[in-house]
Amino acid sequence: MTTVEEAHEASHEAAHSDWRERIYKPSGGVTPVPAVELAAPQGLRMRAGAGHVTLEWEPVEGAIGYLVHRAAGAGDFVTTKQRDVDVPQVPSPCFVDTALVPGETVRYIVAAVGAMDVTGPFCPPIAAAAAIVPTTPPQASVSVRADVTTRQLPRPWRHMIGSEHLSYSLSEDTTGGRPVGAELTEALRVVHDEIGVETVRAHAILCDDLGVYREVDGEPVHDFTGVDAVYDSIRAIGLRPIVEIGYMPRDLASDPAKTVFGYQAIVSPPKSYERWGDLVAALTRHLVERYGLQEVRDHWAFEVWNEANLEVFWSGTPEEFFRLYDVTAAAVKSVDPGLRVGGPSSAANGWVRELLAHVRESGAALDFVTTHTYGNAPLDWRPVLEQYGKGDVPIWWTEWGPTPTHFHGIGDGPFGATFLLHGMKSSAGRLDALAHWVASDHFEELGTPPRLFHGGFGLLTVGNLRKPRYWALDLVNRLGDHELAASVGGDTAGVEAWAARHDDGRIGVLVWNGTLNQAQAFGAPELTRTVELEVAGLREGVSYRLVHHRIDEQHSNIQAVWREHSSADWPQGEEWDALTAANVLDELEEERTHGGGPVVFELPMPGVSYVELIPEA
């Protein structure tokens, strides 16, 4: 029987010759993408309620998402894009507008989107009734069938997490009096052990702080000692890396003055594509030799660069990036054809169709497609991949979160929790990975954190306190493997639900009340709802214990605990101990026996409830 290593050696020579051809083959430019014709959405309809208007329409064939424009009164139609959202399009034929002024009539039009620069015609407008302000919380109903399984529960959060550049985990510096390297490593261990995250993606594995490349007397010298230290540490806690291949070593850069971030990552094209390809091949070969071919084949992946569609991350031309992609992909495959490589790792859904068109012409490998978005649920690129004959290629969103902006602040509280749950449920079953950016607030791209709650990207603070976003991931991960039929009715606004059953009969129901309108991130009383949860189809003759966990301003919100305690930038001494003691997932009420009737509770916006029914022996 041929071993993996023997097959690897047999294929290496053929792949190596292909790699050399790609070095010397200049890019022919960006391959034009074919035109996409989309129909206008049909059946636009609306439901108006307290503080919101919900729009729905029929799906459009070939659409990856939909663009909603609104007009107040007799005014002009304008985009619903917010200042800190990079992609305003929504992935499914539904949009909940909570940015309403009481007494003001609003009109809407909707168009299908086939790519980031391809929008079809708008449908005829529809006028919505003026928003009303309730005197008491309106009712939303949640109905769950415990005896009706819809599918195995998809878990897109488990595939991947983002991190600050991994050499930072070796740092012996402190931030806020806390050890940077040790706490970053611990944060990654926490998301692996407690939430089941499998891989970690980070920038800058080729930056000069790890010393991978230098030139001596004009000749390249490769040294992967620093990479070994980083990846050994990651493997020791059970994670595998997604190897983001970048940025450019100084001695290999065509323009070393082009940098980004406080740590001066070089974003220039290489001065020699041949030497770049040799470096990538040498790194890949080293990883295979150190960690094993089967391990790297099955569990690792190689992503080309980061957000080259933004000038801040790529100082070259699009043509130069697509040549870099071809050379990099060929270099990885020269080590073993079974290794996975992909991209374009783009910001805001950019260059996806362009890369698909390019590799169709160039023949370069594309084993997975990656892109990023912030402030919204990811779009649905499956129709486009099918158009290019890549319908079986996995889609990985390798960066995603409430905001792309450092120090913004909206993600530190419960708004971040409802945002995360909305995105995960929207993505479940239609993409393979949705990687939250990032695990830890130990993050130095634009400087180290100036205070404990500073609007950092992390799920965990400096000091590894769990933010509401972390608890939201913890709760959704508690759902069982068997997704249950669940529906939401009444005056829903931003109320959503997700339910699942464990093999041992436990039933978990996640209910959350959120909005994408960042102006309401810190609460909107008109969007509070009284929720009536009904779980039908429970096992006859079995009694259930009810446990109710909550995330909102007053529960599971470590930011509020610190705000009530102090106005200082950083805790001192015993203050850390007090915060650690408060770093818990709160119950809304004491455990009780479920009597079989509806469970009724008030759910603020933003707010999350997790109701678990546990069969008793």
Side-chain angles (χ1 to χ4, degrees):
M1 179 180 293
T2 302
T3 66
V4 171
E5 288 72 18
E6 289 170 340
H8 157 63
E9 291 298 330
S11 64
H12 176 78
E13 188 61 36
H16 188 72
S17 62
D18 176 67
W19 144 235
R20 287 293 168 189
E21 289 178 6
R22 292 190 186 280
I23 290 176
Y24 297 111
K25 181 182 178 182
S27 172
V30 178
T31 304
V33 296
V36 177
E37 293 192 10
L38 298 166
Q42 300 294 312
L44 179 62
R45 53 203 180 273
M46 66 90 178
R47 301 192 313 273
H52 79 102
V53 168
T54 297
L55 301 172
E56 293 178 309
W57 55 92
E58 299 305 313
V60 175
E61 184 177 359
I64 66 169
Y66 303 89
L67 187 63
V68 179
H69 282 191
R70 68 198 300 274
D76 295 333
F77 283 101
V78 296
T79 178
T80 53
K81 184 182 187 305
Q82 299 177 63
R83 180 183 62 83
D84 202 56
V85 175
D86 57 11
V87 174
Q89 293 90 337
V90 295
S92 59
C94 178
F95 179 76
V96 180
D97 188 5
T98 63
L100 302 173
V101 176
E104 184 176 69
T105 300
V106 184
R107 294 173 293 134
Y108 298 93
I109 53 176
V110 181
V113 176
M116 300 318 294
D117 57 349
V118 178
T119 301
F122 282 94
C123 67
I126 187 172
I132 60 173
V133 178
T135 55
T136 59
Q139 182 170 302
S141 62
V142 176
S143 299
V144 176
R145 288 298 306 265
D147 56 347
V148 179
T149 301
T150 56
R151 59 180 174 177
Q152 288 295 104
L153 186 82
R155 301 181 188 271
W157 57 88
R158 282 190 176 178
H159 190 298
M160 193 184 308
I161 194 75
S163 173
E164 178 58 288
H165 62 109
L166 293 175
S167 62
Y168 206 38
S169 66
L170 307 177
S171 173
E172 296 182 356
D173 293 339
T174 61
T175 293
R178 310 293 293 193
V180 170
E183 287 198 347
L184 174 56
T185 301
E186 174 64 10
L188 293 172
R189 185 201 64 76
V190 166
V191 298
H192 171 267
D193 290 357
E194 296 184 8
I195 298 177
V197 175
E198 299 166 356
T199 67
V200 58
R201 172 189 179 268
H203 304 325
I205 200 64
L206 297 182
C207 280
D208 290 296
D209 64 334
L210 289 177
V212 296
Y213 181 95
R214 68 184 189 278
E215 294 183 1
V216 178
D217 298 328
E219 293 301 316
V221 176
H222 302 153
D223 183 352
F224 302 122
T225 305
V227 173
D228 292 345
V230 166
Y231 285 165
D232 286 355
S233 174
I234 293 304
R235 290 297 298 117
I237 59 177
L239 287 167
R240 274 88 175 213
I242 301 299
V243 184
E244 181 198 293
I245 304 178
Y247 294 100
M248 193 63 60
R250 177 169 296 277
D251 285 359
L252 187 52
S254 60
D255 187 353
K258 300 293 187 181
T259 65
V260 69
F261 300 146
Y263 56 84
Q264 299 292 292
I266 297 170
V267 297
S268 130
K271 65 184 181 184
S272 165
Y273 281 87
E274 179 177 4
R275 290 188 174 185
W276 168 262
D278 284 338
L279 172 61
V280 173
L283 171 65
T284 307
R285 189 174 305 110
H286 174 81
L287 296 176
V288 164
E289 291 170 354
R290 185 173 183 84
Y291 299 102
L293 178 59
Q294 200 67 56
E295 161 74 16
V296 180
R297 262 188 183 176
D298 292 349
H299 302 292
W300 299 37
F302 297 83
E303 185 183 39
V304 181
W305 210 257
N306 174 65
E307 297 190 351
N309 60 319
L310 300 184
E311 290 182 2
V312 68
F313 290 117
W314 178 250
S315 67
T317 64
E319 292 82 1
E320 287 173 312
F321 169 73
F322 287 114
R323 185 181 182 193
L324 185 90
Y325 181 88
D326 285 358
V327 170
T328 306
V332 170
K333 293 291 189 179
S334 75
V335 177
D336 183 83
L339 299 176
R340 296 178 295 171
V341 64
S345 185
S346 56
N349 293 259
W351 287 5
V352 174
R353 291 184 74 236
E354 289 81 354
L355 180 62
L356 290 166
H358 174 79
V359 300
R360 184 166 65 181
E361 295 296 322
S362 73
L366 182 64
D367 298 311
F368 54 88
V369 169
T370 65
T371 188
H372 308 155
T373 198
Y374 288 90
N376 210 335
L379 297 181
D380 188 353
W381 281 96
R382 291 177 299 177
V384 174
L385 267 66
E386 290 171 359
Q387 292 167 14
Y388 285 89
K390 298 283 189 181
D392 59 345
V393 170
I395 305 170
W396 296 349
W397 294 78
T398 52
E399 287 186 31
W400 175 75
T403 169
T405 304
H406 292 260
F407 314 125
H408 189 286
I410 60 170
D412 283 344
F415 174 85
T418 59
F419 172 87
L420 188 147
L421 293 173
H422 169 74
M424 288 298 176
K425 186 171 189 290
S426 168
S427 303
R430 63 177 176 84
L431 51 85
D432 295 86
L434 185 55
H436 182 277
W437 189 258
V438 288
S440 170
D441 271 354
H442 280 296
F443 196 82
E444 64 166 356
E445 287 184 357
L446 296 185
T448 56
R451 63 191 66 86
L452 180 60
F453 290 101
H454 60 280
F457 289 145
L459 293 169
L460 294 98
T461 70
V462 171
N464 284 336
L465 305 171
R466 289 150 174 79
K467 298 181 186 179
R469 263 181 292 160
Y470 178 88
W471 290 125
L473 264 189
D474 178 272
L475 287 177
V476 74
N477 195 54
R478 295 187 187 198
L479 290 173
D481 289 335
H482 311 288
E483 186 182 69
L484 300 176
S487 60
V488 179
D491 192 343
T492 57
V495 175
E496 299 179 76
W498 207 357
R501 186 185 67 242
H502 288 269
D503 288 336
D504 62 7
R506 283 177 295 146
I507 295 166
V509 183
L510 256 179
V511 184
W512 62 94
N513 186 2
T515 178
L516 293 176
N517 180 18
Q518 295 181 356
Q520 296 171 313
F522 302 101
E526 67 274 17
L527 296 176
T528 296
R529 292 295 183 267
T530 296
V531 174
E532 183 175 286
L533 167 62
E534 185 81 42
V535 181
L538 294 171
R539 290 156 51 186
E540 292 187 10
V542 176
S543 61
Y544 289 82
R545 180 163 47 91
L546 186 149
V547 181
H548 188 170
H549 291 291
R550 171 62 71 83
I551 306 168
D552 56 34
E553 179 63 25
Q554 305 301 322
H555 299 90
S556 313
N557 183 7
I558 197 67
Q559 181 188 33
V561 173
W562 176 241
R563 188 169 53 230
E564 292 173 4
H565 178 78
S566 176
S567 60
D569 288 342
W570 293 104
Q572 301 295 325
E574 294 180 355
E575 291 176 326
W576 281 112
D577 296 333
L579 285 171
T580 300
N583 186 33
V584 296
L585 180 63
D586 292 330
E587 292 186 18
L588 183 65
E589 55 189 334
E590 292 185 1
E591 295 183 12
R592 60 183 173 87
T593 300
H594 177 53
V599 181
V600 180
F601 53 92
E602 192 168 290
L603 187 61
M605 197 300 298
V608 179
S609 276
Y610 183 69
V611 176
E612 188 174 28
L613 299 180
I614 305 169
E616 297 186 306

